[in-house]
């Protein structure tokens, strides 16, 4: 048995933080935790709703029975390959039917999916795979970047990686196994018996899934989600939205990410609903959603503009509930998905560490439009604390949103030092988000008011500023670096790097990109604008004054936008019209 393998549920070399016994006991007694392993929860739904459609993608449709049987076979084949309970398996795939099959197949085999992104590269995967002791790597073939070759590179000389599995590869290449080929020769009854024997050994407190944090400091932290709570987290979400087996839910953003799993895949399958898995490309997603008469969808900030374009009209015909998430919701956007009669819109706030807040279905319009709702589980606890003193702020005041509850982790994986600052002494997770509680008709709703953590939210993908600064400084020509968010109409935010050169010679964007590429950093994290300066501004306690940098870049962008409007005015001589539009 390899040295990294845990012997008991919470003995992953002492790197997991258990939930305190009293809280765990309460969550169990109140049914907020379950003793049934995650893969078995899918099977339970399949037993109840076998002939209903579980999954629709552009290329496939699967009923619950088909999904359940196929994933039993995949699980049995994974076990036959030599993969064992609690072996971590990296996922780098996009929104495909076989990604879903692989996900449930792994869960049923007792493996622990590690939800990395298809966009991650050597810098991220190298760190994460070593941290968790990944044993297998499942990648999608046929993407612009050759993830199959990449997986082989990562595995070379890696201490634990032994298997490369693919989805979407036309044929199996040397040293790879196609998920599509897994287990089709295994009799479904035999596969089921094997899955049940694995599940019989699963402890509810075993890790079900490793998610990744958007990051607060340094490199991404690993988030262990356990069987007792993970499926129920999704069930709470589905119940909050009143989903039933008649619901047809669409998901457009990456599925293998906590929001994708908890607000789409597991949530739909917890209640026997149909999940329509689309891709981030809005026109084709809207086409698929319209064809399958989707009733429910979640739209991240990256889709706010697309929702306001005419091609969304065909989706509106059957859409009954839309959740908006990631940034403030404008009046026009809200009206586009909410007509107070047939169509209902609300908001979602959440994080891979746990807590979700969702607008209650019966909330008044002002709460739907201006708040992110209320926590979804009965025992979720939210406190708004003064970030420096950890004292609760006055009612309605802004402070750091802190939370604990049945599905919010009590600690990151193998991060004792970070856990000491990321959690309060009584176990509340410090989200790094600023919030206030607003009283509307006697009910407290959460309002997001900004954040104190140093990250850039690029259309939902988080970029950790400190991580990129450290990487930039590895170029000997850069003396100082500060990465800040700059506003962006489509993605919400993009990364801008303020840089000081060692010798007064400014690097070009291409040189900076080639430096980060050489370090294997995922492209979405690369700064998209460079601001060279003599020195970085400091606060009076000697820290880099990021607030002033953020204000500086926002002002520059505004001035540039105004200038380009003025240029258009000059060249087309229809100034009044453009001016009016800009100030409407
Ligand atoms: P992740 O763990 O990648 O899902 O990121 C969680 C973080 O995304 C939160 O801590 C917030 O900073 C941000 N976030 C999530 N939902 C919202 C929202 N509705 N409005 C603003 N920020 C959000």
């Amino acid at each position: 048995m390899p040295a990294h393998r845990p012997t008991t549920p919470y003995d992953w070399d002492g790197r997991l933080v258990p939930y305190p016994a009293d809280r765990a006991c309460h969550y169990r007694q109140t049914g907020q935790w379950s003793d049934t392993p995650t893969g078995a929860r899918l099977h339970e739904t399949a037993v109840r709703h076998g002939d209903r459609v579980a999954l629709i993608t552009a290329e496939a449709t699967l009923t619950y029975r088909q999904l359940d049987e196929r994933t039993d076979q995949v699980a049995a084949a994974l076990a036959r390959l030599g993969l064992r309970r609690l072996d971590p398996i990296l996922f780098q795939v996009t929104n495909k039917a076989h990604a879903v099959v692989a996900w449930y197949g792994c869960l049923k085999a007792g493996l622990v999916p590690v939800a990395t992104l298809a966009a991650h590269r050597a810098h991220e995967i190298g760190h994460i795979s070593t941290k968790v002791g990944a044993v297998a790597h499942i990648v999608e073939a046929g993407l612009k970047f050759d993830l199959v070759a990449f997986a082989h590179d990562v595995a070379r000389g890696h201490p634990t990686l032994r298997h490369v599995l693919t989805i979407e590869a036309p044929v199996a290449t040397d040293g790879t196994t196609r998920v599509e080929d897994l287990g089709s020769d295994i009799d479904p009854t035999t596969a089921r018996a094997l899955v049940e024997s694995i599940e019989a050994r699963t402890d509810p407190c075993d890790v079900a899934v490793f998610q990744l944090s958007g990051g607060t400091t340094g490199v991404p932290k690993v988030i262990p989600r356990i069987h007792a709570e993970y499926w129920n987290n999704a069930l709470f979400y589905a119940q909050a939205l009143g989903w039933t087996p008649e619901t047809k839910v669409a998901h457009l953003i990456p599925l293998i990410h906590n929001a994708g799993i908890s607000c789409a895949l597991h949530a739909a399958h917890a209640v026997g609903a149909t999940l329509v898995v689309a891709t981030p490309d809005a026109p084709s997603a809207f086409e698929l959603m319209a064809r399958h008469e989707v009733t429910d969808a979640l739209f991240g900030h990256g889709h706010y503009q697309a929702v306001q374009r005419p091609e969304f009209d065909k989706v509106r015909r059957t859409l009954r509930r839309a959740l908006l998430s990631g940034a403030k919701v404008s009046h026009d956007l809200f009206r586009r998905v909410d007509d107070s009669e047939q169509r209902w819109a609300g908001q979602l706030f959440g994080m891979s560490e746990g807590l979700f807040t969702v607008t209650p279905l019966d909330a008044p319009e002002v709460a739907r439009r201006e708040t992110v709702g209320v926590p979804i589980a009965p025992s979720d606890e939210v406190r708004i604390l003064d970030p420096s003193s950890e004292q609760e702020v006055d009612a309605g005041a802004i402070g750091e949103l802190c939370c604990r509850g049945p599905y919010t982790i009590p600690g990151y994986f193998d991060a004792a030092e970070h856990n000491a600052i990321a959690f309060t002494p009584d176990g509340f997770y410090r989200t790094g988000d600023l919030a206030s509680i607003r009283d509307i008709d006697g009910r407290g709703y959460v309002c997001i008011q900004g954040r104190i953590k140093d990250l850039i939210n690029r259309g939902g993908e988080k970029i950790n500023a400190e991580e990129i600064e450290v990487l930039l400084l590895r170029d000997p020509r850069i003396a100082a670096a500060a990465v800040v968010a700059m506003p962006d109409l489509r993605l919400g935010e993009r990364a801008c790097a303020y840089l000081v050169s060692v010798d007064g010679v400014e690097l070009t964007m291409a040189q900076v990109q080639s430096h980060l590429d050489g370090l294997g950093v995922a492209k979405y994290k690369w700064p998209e604008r460079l601001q060279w300066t003599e020195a970085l501004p400091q606060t009076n306690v000697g820290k880099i004054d990021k607030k002033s940098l953020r204000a500086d870049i926002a002002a520059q962008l505004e001035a540039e936008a105004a200038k380009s409007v003025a240029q258009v005015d000059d060249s087309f001589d229809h100034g009044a019209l453009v001016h009016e539009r800009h100030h409407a």
Side-chain angles (χ1 to χ4, degrees):
M1 185 181 275
H4 73 275
R5 187 162 292 152
T7 49
T8 62
Y10 271 119
D11 183 25
W12 208 305
D13 297 337
R15 293 183 289 169
L16 287 165
V17 181
Y19 281 78
D22 56 337
R23 278 173 49 208
C25 177
H26 174 70
Y27 300 150
R28 252 184 224 112
Q29 281 174 351
T30 50
Q32 293 175 85
W33 272 18
S34 162
D35 286 340
T36 309
T38 309
R41 304 294 290 276
L42 172 71
H43 179 67
E44 285 179 353
T45 306
V47 168
R48 282 198 301 275
H49 302 289
D51 294 326
R52 283 190 174 273
V53 174
L55 182 71
I56 295 174
T57 66
E59 66 282 351
T61 295
L62 289 175
T63 63
Y64 274 98
R65 184 169 301 111
Q66 289 168 326
L67 181 63
D68 191 41
E69 282 189 8
R70 180 71 198 116
T71 51
D72 280 354
Q73 288 177 313
V74 169
L78 289 167
R80 193 169 60 183
L81 271 181
L83 289 160
R84 292 286 168 265
R85 236 173 55 74
L86 299 175
D87 277 344
I89 175 163
L90 304 168
F91 268 69
Q92 281 197 283
V93 295
T94 67
N95 290 3
K96 295 280 163 45
H98 277 104
V100 172
V101 168
W103 178 265
Y104 282 128
C106 287
L107 286 170
K108 287 181 171 185
L111 311 182
V112 181
V114 186
T116 66
L117 297 173
H120 282 152
R121 295 294 175 261
H123 166 70
E124 293 84 16
I125 296 294
H127 163 74
I128 295 155
S129 63
T130 316
K131 184 90 175 168
V132 300
V135 170
H137 194 169
I138 172 160
V139 286
E140 180 168 332
L143 298 177
K144 232 187 324 179
F145 179 79
D146 186 350
L147 278 172
V148 183
F150 172 67
H152 286 299
D153 285 347
V154 174
R156 224 162 277 133
H158 191 285
T160 52
L161 270 172
R162 299 194 301 270
H163 299 275
V164 175
L165 294 115
T166 63
I167 63 165
E168 303 288 313
V171 288
T173 48
D174 245 11
T176 64
T177 306
R178 292 169 78 240
V179 168
E180 292 84 344
D181 296 338
L182 280 178
S184 35
D185 59 326
I186 303 176
D187 163 58
T189 316
T190 312
R192 176 98 294 262
L194 184 81
V195 167
E196 283 176 4
S197 78
I198 293 170
E199 287 170 351
R201 286 181 291 139
T202 301
D203 186 293
C205 289
D206 278 347
V207 177
V209 169
F210 279 128
Q211 289 288 352
L212 300 180
S213 81
T216 40
T217 56
V219 283
K221 302 289 179 293
V222 176
I223 297 168
R225 302 296 303 262
I226 61 173
H227 288 279
E229 51 86 12
Y230 203 42
W231 187 271
N232 277 5
N233 177 176
L235 178 61
F236 284 130
Y237 179 82
Q239 287 170 338
L241 292 168
W243 288 358
T244 69
E246 273 71 45
T247 304
K248 286 184 174 175
V249 189
H251 194 74
L252 295 76
I253 48 187
L255 196 61
I256 308 298
H257 186 287
N258 189 57
I261 300 300
S262 300
C263 306
L265 186 66
H266 290 183
H269 293 169
V271 294
T274 298
L275 177 66
V276 177
V277 178
T279 62
D281 169 55
S284 51
F286 294 166
E287 202 55 56
L288 189 74
M289 288 163 76
R291 192 160 6 112
H292 295 289
E293 305 189 328
V294 157
T295 59
D296 287 67
L298 163 64
F299 298 104
H301 189 265
H303 286 107
Y304 281 9
Q305 281 189 315
V307 163
Q308 299 190 61
R309 287 201 291 265
E311 56 261 36
F312 185 69
D313 286 346
K314 49 184 177 274
V315 176
R316 289 174 86 227
R317 280 199 285 272
T318 55
L319 196 68
R320 292 291 164 268
R321 278 166 299 242
L323 277 182
L324 303 164
S325 182
K328 284 221 173 338
V329 173
S330 71
H331 180 80
D332 288 352
L333 173 65
F334 186 79
R335 275 284 149 255
R336 183 86 173 123
V337 282
D338 188 304
D339 59 10
S340 304
E341 286 170 19
Q342 273 204 316
R343 276 182 289 273
W344 176 96
Q347 297 192 45
L348 160 73
F349 168 85
M351 64 204 65
S352 307
E353 285 82 356
L355 181 74
F356 279 111
T357 68
V358 169
T359 312
L361 289 174
D362 61 355
E365 180 175 323
V366 63
R368 301 210 301 281
R369 213 162 10 92
E370 295 178 15
T371 81
V372 293
V374 303
I376 58 174
S379 290
D380 276 327
E381 298 172 81
V382 164
R383 280 190 193 156
I384 309 293
L385 303 183
D386 176 331
S388 47
S389 68
E390 292 190 359
Q391 296 295 310
E392 261 185 273
V393 298
D394 292 340
I398 296 176
E400 183 175 8
L401 175 62
C402 297
C403 53
R404 66 178 188 187
Y407 60 93
T408 295
I409 54 163
Y412 290 102
F413 177 72
D414 193 21
E417 223 173 277
H418 183 65
N419 285 337
I421 50 167
F423 294 82
T424 64
D426 50 358
F428 279 74
Y429 169 59
R430 302 183 59 160
T431 65
D433 293 300
L434 289 171
S436 59
I437 303 293
R438 180 166 163 190
D439 188 300
I440 300 174
D441 300 341
R443 192 168 193 183
Y445 291 86
V446 178
C447 297
I448 300 302
Q449 306 280 7
R451 60 176 178 255
I452 40 182
K453 59 188 167 192
D454 195 7
L455 56 78
I456 294 107
N457 190 345
R458 188 186 189 276
E461 297 307 350
K462 314 301 181 301
I463 303 168
N464 183 323
E466 185 189 311
E467 181 186 3
I468 304 305
E469 287 158 7
V470 169
L471 293 164
L472 286 167
L473 287 173
R474 282 173 62 183
D475 189 314
R477 297 164 293 185
I478 299 175
V483 175
V484 293
M486 56 180 175
D488 180 80
L489 201 57
R490 191 171 67 82
L491 293 167
E493 295 174 3
R494 290 180 197 260
C496 168
Y498 278 79
L499 299 169
V500 179
S501 135
V502 163
D503 51 12
V505 181
E506 297 174 1
L507 306 190
T508 62
M509 179 58 103
Q511 285 172 313
V512 170
Q513 289 179 341
S514 136
H515 166 67
L516 293 174
D517 199 20
L519 293 175
V521 181
K523 218 173 190 171
Y524 71 89
K525 298 180 178 175
W526 298 0
E528 293 173 79
R529 179 165 171 139
L530 307 178
Q531 294 287 124
W532 291 91
T533 169
E534 302 259 296
L536 297 174
Q538 310 251 311
T539 62
N540 51 15
V541 290
K543 281 188 171 177
I544 295 173
D545 186 358
K546 290 207 163 177
K547 206 169 158 189
S548 80
L549 293 178
R550 278 190 283 269
D552 181 65
I553 188 62
Q556 281 198 47
L557 290 172
E558 210 168 297
E560 286 165 19
K563 200 167 150 204
S564 70
V565 170
Q567 277 164 356
V568 172
D569 290 355
D570 287 348
S571 53
F572 294 100
D573 197 23
H574 66 322
L577 179 65
V578 175
H579 185 82
E580 264 173 33
R581 273 210 207 113
H582 254 75
H583 291 83

